[in-house]
Amino acid sequence: MDSSQEPRYLECERWWTFALLMTVGGYLGAFTYNLRGGVFCNAQTANIVLFAIALGKGAFAQAFYYVIPMGAYLAGAMLSEALPLKLRRAGLIRWDTALVGLELLAVLALGFLPEQAPFQITQVSVNFICSMQYNTFRQAQGVPMATTFCTNHVRQTGVHLTKWLRSRHPEDGARCLAHIGMLLAFAAGGVVCTMLCPRFLGRSIWGAGILLAVVFADLLYADLCKERGLLFRKPAGH
């Protein structure tokens, strides 16, 4: 593809891709909280705090328990940093596409677990895939974003709202709305999951699979067709 005709942003950097992944993040957070131990597995702040509390109380066995999800998150970050280069050399599909496919398979598999299965299986799995998703999808059309938790979106909303109120600069207004949109997408995922959990129990996680399937199909089409000549181009932020 002629560089003058290259799209400004890859499909994996589009707003709608990030919005769907944010919805998945909210969905998985609600799933693990409602049905798998009352915990949030999208990030590690709570686990580190609980780890520190356990150490402070001298409950070393309990402290070690929190090392497991933190280790899964660490492993996910490391793999998502190491695997893209190998996949890029193969020249088949982008790592971003492969990751969403792996997430889809993981979500499908978790839906088949019996309700009596240890919660830790789902918790560690979600820790792992959320870490890889967070490290892989970094910027939505040039705007740094996370797709598995909301803290930075809340902060950025406040920052750009303040800047817009001060200067009325259109870019600040647009960025403020973009972050608000991501927050709404995350919340929508949590709402839908919470409504489905009582009826479908563990299989309600397949709702996230539907969203992942849509993202995967679009990214795969981009890799094989409209962005075939751009497989070696890195997304912004990498």
Side-chain angles (χ1 to χ4, degrees):
M1 181 181 292
D2 189 327
S3 60
S4 63
Q5 298 177 337
E6 286 186 8
R8 183 177 180 184
Y9 300 110
L10 297 167
E11 194 67 19
C12 60
E13 299 175 274
R14 298 291 179 183
W15 290 117
W16 84 272
T17 300
F18 273 68
L20 284 182
L21 291 176
M22 278 293 289
T23 308
V24 170
Y27 197 103
L28 292 176
F31 179 82
T32 57
Y33 186 85
N34 284 317
L35 295 178
R36 296 297 183 260
V39 298
F40 300 110
C41 297
N42 303 43
Q44 291 305 297
T45 302
N47 281 331
I48 294 174
V49 171
L50 292 172
F51 171 75
I53 291 173
L55 285 181
K57 292 180 177 179
F60 300 111
Q62 185 180 4
F64 177 76
Y65 171 82
Y66 294 110
V67 173
I68 299 174
M70 290 190 291
Y73 210 88
L74 176 64
M78 293 176 67
L79 281 177
S80 62
E81 195 67 27
L83 292 179
L85 180 59
K86 294 184 177 181
L87 196 63
R88 195 180 304 124
R89 288 172 179 170
L92 299 175
I93 60 175
R94 305 186 66 84
W95 161 248
D96 315 72
T97 306
L99 169 61
V100 174
L102 290 173
E103 285 191 66
L104 176 58
L105 292 176
V107 164
L108 291 176
L110 291 173
F112 283 110
L113 288 177
E115 295 303 316
Q116 298 77 19
F119 293 158
Q120 290 82 359
I121 298 176
T122 298
Q123 291 172 3
V124 170
S125 298
V126 173
N127 274 309
F128 185 71
I129 62 177
C130 281
S131 173
M132 290 196 293
Q133 181 177 306
Y134 171 46
N135 191 47
T136 299
F137 293 89
R138 300 182 182 181
Q139 289 192 15
Q141 297 187 199
V143 180
M145 290 194 172
T147 59
T148 58
F149 53 87
C150 294
T151 304
N152 187 54
H153 291 290
V154 174
R155 182 182 73 87
Q156 293 288 359
T157 297
V159 168
H160 291 291
L161 178 59
T162 301
K163 289 182 177 180
W164 181 82
L165 290 173
R166 183 188 303 143
S167 64
R168 293 297 195 274
H169 195 286
E171 182 178 354
D172 290 318
R175 288 204 173 193
C176 178
L177 291 176
H179 287 289
I180 291 175
M182 295 299 166
L183 290 170
L184 292 175
F186 194 92
V191 169
V192 173
C193 181
T194 300
M195 294 171 64
L196 295 179
C197 280
R199 181 174 181 180
F200 297 103
L201 298 178
R203 293 187 178 183
S204 60
I205 197 173
W206 289 343
I210 295 173
L211 299 175
L212 289 170
V214 173
V215 177
F216 178 70
D218 179 70
L219 295 183
L220 186 63
Y221 173 75
D223 290 350
L224 300 179
C225 299
K226 63 180 181 178
E227 293 179 356
R228 182 63 186 168
L230 301 175
L231 289 179
F232 291 93
R233 174 174 152 186
K234 290 184 179 181
H238 287 265

